[in-house]
Amino acid sequence: MVSSAPVRLYTWVDVEERLSELALGDGWPTWLLEVDAWWDGLQMEVVDGTEPGTVLAWLEDEKCFGPGSVSRVGGAPALLFDGPSQDPAPTLPIEIGAGRGGSDLRRLPRLRERRIVRELADPLPRPGSDQFVSGVQVLAFHSFKGGVGRTLHAVALADHLARRGSRVLLVDADLEAPGITWMYQEQGGQMDFAYEDFLASLHGSVGEDRTRAVALAASYLPNQQIGRHPGGGAVLVLPASRRGLLTPPRIDPGDLLTPDRSRYFVSEALAELAESVRADVVIVDLRAGSSELSAPLLLDPRIQRVFVTTLSGQSLSGTARLIRQLGRRAPSVHGTDPVSSVVITQFRHDAHREQVEAAQQNLSDALADSVGIVPEESVEDKPALLDTDLFTPPLLSPFNENLLALPPQWDGVVTAIERSELRETLSALVPEPPVQDAPSPEEQRIDVRDRRRHLASSAEDLVYAENQGLTSATGFLATEPLRRLVGDHRTEPPIALVLGAKGAGKTFTYAKACAAREWRRFAEQSDVADVTLDASIVPVLEPDSLQQNQASLTTQTLRDTFAEQHGGTAATTIDIRDTLSRALSALPAEDTLQWRSMWLRCLAMAAGADVSERSPEDALVALGGRVRAVFVIDGLEDLLQKLDSEVKRTALRTLLIDTLNWLRALRGRPLGIIAFVRRDLVNWAVQQNSSQLAARYKSYALRWDSTDALRLTVWIASQAGALDKPGVDISDIAEDDLPKILVPLWGWKMGSEKSREARSHLWVPAALADYNKQVQARDVTAFLAESAKLSQGSGNSRWTDRVLAPSAMRTALARCSQIKIDAIKTENQDIGKLLARLQSRGATVTVPFTLDDVGLTTDEADALLTAGVFYFDDSSGRYRVPEIYRHGLGFNSSPKARVLNPWGPGARGSLGAVPRPDRRERPAPRSPGERAGPADA
């Protein structure tokens, strides 16, 4: 039914709005073909022979504009506007003429159609096909109001589907207030291609041809994958925009709906893109409100609409009205189209039960109004409506305190989702997958003595992985930073820094990348799928510690092979180092342009490009026109030796910033580079904004926390046969399951199960950690090797329930501490000299201590604080050292001294009490009288 005449008419906008209501309802006369309201007049097309009096009488009818709405000014009819008494009164001239009406009408999926005709009362024409290409499922999340949890629920569903094995294309289509884009960007995700880029590419295409736009997007989207789940599940993020400026979108999705294209061009293009990247599902986060930015997707009946609302009156009323409005314009055909869903959020069951029940009924009625059936012989223009009992009632997502203040990064949001019940709530939107039989665990029955021998041998080989040279025989554990590095560069070469402390695995990763020879093979070994980049890995510099067997693969072999394939002769390591050494002696300290050219010269020399008669820049441009390659650099500390001059600082800073920026600016980005560098070198070289530089590559930094240390332990032990291999990828093992898996290796406690000793899975990472909350991979490996060797002693024969004996583990910690300090003395001479001075004090020092006790200055202590060797305890005004250093330094521990947990927040020390472990790392409560270990604060 059409409402009564409008209360107020101020402008032509009110006139147009009223006439649109009449066209949508049952107040449209048969003789009226089309109406157009403009700022300067009202044009009415009528059936030929219609009398002007009939038209004017209809305008003055109480169901139209009401009596007295038409006047004649100078003999011409006009609509009267409301307003203060004026002479003459403001009017809108009326022009009446015969016409063809909507015979040439092409209706589009817009919330406001541009032409007012009788056909507005009919649904939009259906798509040519009832399904998207390849059966791709598309869901669009919408809300009448912002701030109701729409984006959060879209992310929760995407993550839920990915964990079930689906590949999900998650599109941030909120072009004015993007939420997914911000959390993805804060996570450090690649921002190579955005929804705006896709729209712009489609806008420039010819007719229905979406080939180039889809291919362009598909070439970058694999790099924008976030998360990795068993069964190939993944989320590919298409952010809203790459623009830094906050401005309105340049292209509206509705701008793509030209006469030579399908009216459902936008949604069909997204489905084709999903098919191209092998995504099963597309989830779109739309702009809130009645926005034309959302209309092309909301009005495609093949899309499953998910409306999110709170119990507020405005949100509920607006959501119900919009559902009904969409149902009139684009009804979902029962049995053919997906039925819309509603999620009610932010309420409490105990306080809002009646409001929830009323809202569910109201919204269920609205959903029923939006779905129709097409009878075999339709006798009406509109489809018959279905009963509300056939639909799933609105889903309930009650208030959860974990979702009150969400962190900015994607991982933090997903963690908050895990602590809530969102996944269970949204699981009703999609069918449950078939239950798969779990793989049977591999049977490995060997004696505990054999396990100890195997672990000692295998782990010892891995302590200094660079001693193995360039071999892929041993495999490696693909950590999350490595997977991010490879996963972010599935289709184009990486340009990145990999930061890490000595012993974090930089050289090991460098060696494994070189051993793979090709980026795609390195990706396969890293267990990263869908990598299509064909690029050779070309070493430029390698560390002195990397032992190379001339009879097998070497870095020179890689350079020579690459150069020969492309008609050149590669330089040797000595050639490249000599070139850099001469530059260190000859180039001015502040000449960054010459230093950038020098580093580019080294890259060209490694690739065999001729730089004798042309600049290195031109040589690399020419090389990039023929081939793709990834340059890798390690051993910068060997090249620079002491950090004692400004020219060295400039050289290193130029490599880390200017050289990478030049490669990044190379059109098409054919050449990549990965520079493995110690974080302390970055801090020294980049004195301003070093934190910003490190933050840019934070996702790829080699850092090992307590969970990473446990995963590495599982990997080493299972590779050695000391543990049965898990039935799933080690990186996919839930954090809570790691302690149980490791019980056969080192028991539940550092003693018998009923003892008062600390728990093994807490004791080991804490004993090996420094006060920067880092465990070095080398220390974990050395600890396992030493513990396994010591466990073979006759005094440990009683420990038949585990591979590593508790007493052996404690003794091994002392040995590993000495190994660590000896390594630092050769690898970081400044810190090594300070450690040597501390060792000279040895047994005369008892922890905690003062600087006078150890003979250090405040500046020297600050250097050790930064390195994680010292911790200043404000409560006592004294310093402490972690266990991994204390034993090697020979310091005594006070019988009554507290043992600090390196994993507690603020472990570097600050004013206040000794920090407590954070929630994630907090150990479980001990039994009464249970002894504290290094893992306990």
Side-chain angles (χ1 to χ4, degrees):
M1 293 292 293
V2 179
S3 61
S4 58
V7 177
R8 293 284 184 261
L9 285 181
Y10 295 126
T11 66
W12 66 272
V13 175
D14 295 322
V15 175
E16 183 181 70
E17 183 69 22
R18 178 57 177 168
L19 292 170
S20 296
E21 291 178 0
L22 294 169
L24 290 168
D26 56 3
W28 197 261
T30 57
W31 46 261
L32 184 56
L33 301 178
E34 183 172 357
V35 177
D36 288 305
W38 305 90
W39 68 273
D40 59 350
L42 177 65
Q43 296 177 346
M44 304 183 69
E45 290 189 17
V46 298
V47 173
D48 191 19
T50 303
E51 294 292 333
T54 301
V55 177
L56 299 179
W58 176 74
L59 291 173
E60 289 197 291
D61 188 277
E62 63 181 12
K63 293 182 179 180
C64 192
F65 293 105
S69 296
V70 177
S71 71
R72 291 181 178 274
V73 178
L79 275 177
L80 285 169
F81 286 141
D82 293 315
S85 298
Q86 299 181 24
D87 188 17
T91 59
L92 185 68
I94 301 171
E95 180 182 335
I96 304 172
R100 295 184 305 168
S103 59
D104 61 342
L105 177 67
R106 182 175 186 269
R107 300 182 61 201
L108 298 175
R110 297 179 181 273
L111 294 179
R112 180 185 297 280
E113 297 192 57
R114 294 177 178 175
R115 297 176 65 178
I116 307 174
V117 295
R118 71 172 70 189
E119 286 81 4
L120 293 188
D122 300 329
L124 288 167
R126 283 189 59 80
S129 172
D130 288 336
Q131 287 189 334
F132 289 113
V133 60
S134 299
V136 170
Q137 184 181 5
V138 183
L139 297 91
F141 277 73
H142 185 267
S143 60
F144 181 73
K145 281 177 57 65
V148 300
R150 181 194 71 248
T151 297
L152 178 66
H153 285 75
V155 169
L157 181 60
D159 182 68
H160 174 66
L161 290 171
R163 289 172 185 272
R164 297 192 336 167
S166 295
R167 283 177 63 84
V168 182
L169 174 57
L170 181 61
V171 182
D172 191 347
D174 189 346
L175 294 173
E176 292 181 342
I180 292 173
T181 301
W182 285 99
M183 67 177 73
Y184 173 72
Q185 193 170 22
E186 285 292 318
Q187 183 68 25
Q190 293 287 98
M191 297 283 289
D192 293 329
F193 198 83
Y195 182 51
E196 275 194 339
D197 297 316
F198 191 49
L199 294 178
S201 300
L202 291 170
H203 189 267
S205 63
V206 178
E208 291 278 350
D209 186 9
R210 297 182 278 262
T211 306
R212 181 184 179 280
V214 169
L216 181 63
S219 67
Y220 290 102
L221 265 178
N223 303 328
Q224 297 174 187
Q225 176 176 317
I226 193 163
R228 178 184 178 278
H229 305 286
V235 178
L236 291 87
V237 179
L238 187 61
S241 174
R242 293 181 293 113
R243 290 180 291 113
L245 297 177
L246 298 178
T247 59
R250 294 181 180 273
I251 297 178
D252 186 310
D255 296 338
L256 276 58
L257 307 181
T258 54
D260 57 341
R261 293 172 177 154
S262 162
R263 56 176 51 85
Y264 302 106
F265 184 74
V266 178
S267 53
E268 289 166 354
L270 283 174
E272 283 189 22
L273 175 58
E275 179 196 37
S276 182
V277 296
R278 299 185 299 105
D280 317 288
V281 182
V282 181
I283 295 179
V284 186
D285 186 31
L286 294 171
R287 180 73 184 119
S290 53
S291 170
E292 295 291 2
L293 295 174
S294 305
L297 299 180
L298 282 177
L299 288 167
D300 188 332
R302 297 169 294 182
I303 291 179
Q304 183 173 350
R305 307 154 183 152
V306 182
F307 300 94
V308 183
T309 179
T310 63
L311 290 177
S312 75
Q314 181 186 4
S315 182
L316 281 175
S317 176
T319 300
R321 288 173 60 185
L322 184 60
I323 291 173
R324 288 188 168 93
Q325 182 177 328
L326 295 174
R328 290 194 300 268
R329 299 285 306 287
S332 300
V333 175
H334 181 62
T336 301
D337 301 320
V339 180
S340 299
S341 307
V342 177
V343 181
I344 302 175
T345 67
Q346 300 178 17
F347 67 90
R348 294 186 183 276
H349 284 293
D350 56 347
H352 304 109
R353 182 176 59 83
E354 293 182 359
Q355 294 97 312
V356 169
E357 292 176 355
Q360 282 187 296
Q361 184 60 55
N362 180 28
L363 294 169
S364 294
D365 293 341
L367 289 173
D369 291 343
S370 70
V371 180
I373 57 174
V374 179
E376 294 181 3
E377 295 182 1
S378 180
V379 295
E380 298 179 349
D381 291 335
K382 299 179 182 178
L385 297 182
L386 295 176
D387 188 81
T388 59
D389 292 339
L390 296 177
F391 307 110
T392 301
L395 307 177
L396 302 182
S397 180
F399 169 82
N400 190 301
E401 63 180 9
N402 292 312
L403 306 177
L404 262 182
L406 291 173
Q409 300 94 349
W410 175 279
D411 284 352
V413 173
V414 170
T415 299
I417 290 171
E418 290 175 351
R419 295 170 179 167
S420 69
E421 299 178 354
L422 285 190
R423 289 190 185 133
E424 291 77 5
T425 298
L426 297 173
S427 62
L429 295 177
V430 289
E432 287 298 322
V435 177
Q436 302 290 336
D437 293 333
S440 58
E442 182 181 349
E443 295 292 336
Q444 293 183 354
R445 302 299 183 190
I446 60 175
D447 186 88
V448 68
R449 292 169 295 180
D450 291 332
R451 292 182 181 235
R452 289 168 179 166
R453 285 194 297 270
H454 291 169
L455 179 57
S457 175
S458 297
E460 190 168 27
D461 289 341
L462 290 171
V463 172
Y464 292 96
E466 53 266 34
N467 292 342
Q468 300 179 20
L470 306 186
T471 175
S472 57
T474 57
F476 56 93
L477 174 65
T479 59
E480 183 60 25
L482 176 57
R483 283 179 167 174
R484 284 296 304 272
L485 175 65
V486 177
D488 285 352
H489 302 92
R490 287 177 163 88
T491 65
E492 67 176 8
I495 298 176
L497 303 179
V498 175
L499 308 183
K502 197 70 177 179
K506 297 189 308 300
T507 297
F508 181 76
T509 306
Y510 169 92
K512 293 303 179 184
C514 290
R517 295 174 177 255
E518 300 287 335
W519 186 252
R520 287 184 69 172
R521 188 178 177 202
F522 184 51
E524 291 173 2
Q525 295 170 351
S526 303
D527 200 20
V528 177
D530 305 318
V531 175
T532 60
L533 173 64
D534 288 315
S536 298
I537 294 176
V538 182
V540 181
L541 292 172
E542 60 270 5
D544 295 339
S545 60
L546 183 66
Q547 296 185 12
Q548 304 188 61
N549 184 351
Q550 297 300 322
S552 58
L553 182 66
T554 66
T555 53
Q556 192 59 48
T557 305
L558 290 175
R559 284 191 289 266
D560 290 341
T561 301
F562 179 82
E564 290 169 5
Q565 290 174 345
H566 304 289
T569 301
T572 65
T573 300
I574 295 177
D575 293 335
I576 296 172
R577 287 199 172 191
D578 285 348
T579 299
L580 289 169
S581 296
R582 288 193 296 269
L584 287 170
S585 301
L587 292 184
E590 296 302 323
D591 196 337
T592 57
L593 286 179
Q594 287 197 57
W595 265 112
R596 186 187 71 183
S597 186
M598 182 55 61
W599 284 113
L600 296 177
R601 177 178 294 274
C602 293
L603 301 187
M605 291 170 62
D610 183 12
V611 291
S612 60
E613 297 182 357
R614 57 180 173 176
S615 70
E617 290 84 353
D618 290 342
L620 290 175
V621 169
L623 179 67
R626 304 191 309 270
V627 68
R628 288 189 168 192
V630 179
F631 297 103
V632 289
I633 294 177
D634 191 16
L636 290 168
E637 55 269 35
D638 299 325
L639 172 71
L640 299 175
Q641 297 293 324
K642 294 182 179 181
L643 306 178
D644 55 2
S645 70
E646 283 302 314
V647 68
K648 289 182 179 180
R649 193 191 308 274
T650 300
L652 184 54
R653 183 175 66 248
T654 305
L655 170 64
L656 302 181
I657 300 176
D658 301 73
T659 305
L660 269 66
N661 286 341
W662 188 91
L663 290 171
R664 193 173 285 115
L666 190 59
R667 182 56 54 197
R669 202 174 290 183
L671 305 177
I673 185 172
I674 302 174
F676 296 86
V677 58
R678 288 202 325 241
R679 176 61 195 269
D680 62 295
L681 292 184
V682 175
N683 294 339
W684 177 78
V686 186
Q687 293 181 313
Q688 293 183 345
N689 301 323
S690 64
S691 296
Q692 292 182 14
L693 181 64
R696 179 171 190 172
Y697 303 105
K698 179 181 178 181
S699 299
Y700 313 141
L702 298 178
R703 291 178 59 92
W704 298 78
D705 61 16
S706 61
T707 302
D708 295 325
L710 296 182
R711 291 191 196 279
L712 180 60
T713 300
V714 173
W715 182 80
I716 294 173
S718 60
Q719 289 287 313
L723 277 179
D724 293 337
K725 290 188 176 181
V728 297
D729 192 291
I730 292 174
S731 299
D732 295 329
I733 297 174
E735 183 178 336
D736 293 341
D737 292 336
L738 289 170
K740 292 178 285 187
I741 292 174
L742 287 166
V743 167
L745 178 70
W746 53 35
W748 181 245
K749 293 183 178 181
M750 293 292 292
S752 65
E753 187 172 345
K754 296 182 179 180
S755 70
R756 299 177 180 179
E757 300 292 344
R759 291 171 183 164
S760 302
H761 70 278
L762 300 175
W763 187 91
V764 172
L768 298 178
D770 62 21
Y771 281 133
N772 283 332
K773 306 189 213 178
Q774 292 192 62
V775 176
Q776 300 305 331
R778 180 190 296 172
D779 295 337
V780 175
T781 309
F783 174 78
L784 293 175
E786 293 296 323
S787 297
K789 284 189 287 186
L790 293 169
S791 295
Q792 296 175 53
S794 58
N796 295 315
S797 58
R798 73 184 185 93
W799 297 102
T800 58
D801 64 334
R802 64 192 70 183
V803 176
L804 302 180
S807 59
M809 293 168 68
R810 292 190 178 92
T811 304
L813 177 60
R815 289 193 182 184
C816 291
S817 180
Q818 186 61 58
I819 292 172
K820 183 179 183 70
I821 292 175
D822 290 344
I824 292 175
K825 289 178 181 178
T826 61
E827 295 164 352
N828 189 333
Q829 295 182 12
D830 292 337
I831 297 297
K833 289 178 180 178
L834 295 177
L835 293 178
R837 287 169 54 189
L838 293 176
Q839 281 183 313
S840 67
R841 300 277 178 143
T844 65
V845 180
T846 299
V847 179
F849 51 85
T850 66
L851 293 185
D852 290 337
D853 294 336
V854 294
L856 294 183
T857 67
T858 302
D859 288 342
E860 290 170 334
D862 286 343
L864 294 174
L865 281 167
T866 301
V869 179
F870 273 12
Y871 166 79
F872 183 68
D873 185 358
D874 288 300
S875 63
S876 65
R878 294 171 178 265
Y879 288 85
R880 300 176 182 273
V881 291
E883 294 294 285
I884 191 60
Y885 286 102
R886 184 182 69 81
H887 293 276
L889 295 174
F891 287 7
N892 299 310
S893 180
S894 171
K896 296 183 179 180
R898 293 169 294 172
V899 180
L900 296 184
N901 175 15
W903 305 108
R908 288 277 304 279
S910 59
L911 294 175
V914 175
R916 297 174 59 193
D918 60 28
R919 179 174 180 177
R920 183 178 179 183
E921 304 294 348
R922 187 174 301 146
R926 294 189 299 272
S927 57
E930 183 177 338
R931 186 185 307 170
D936 297 304

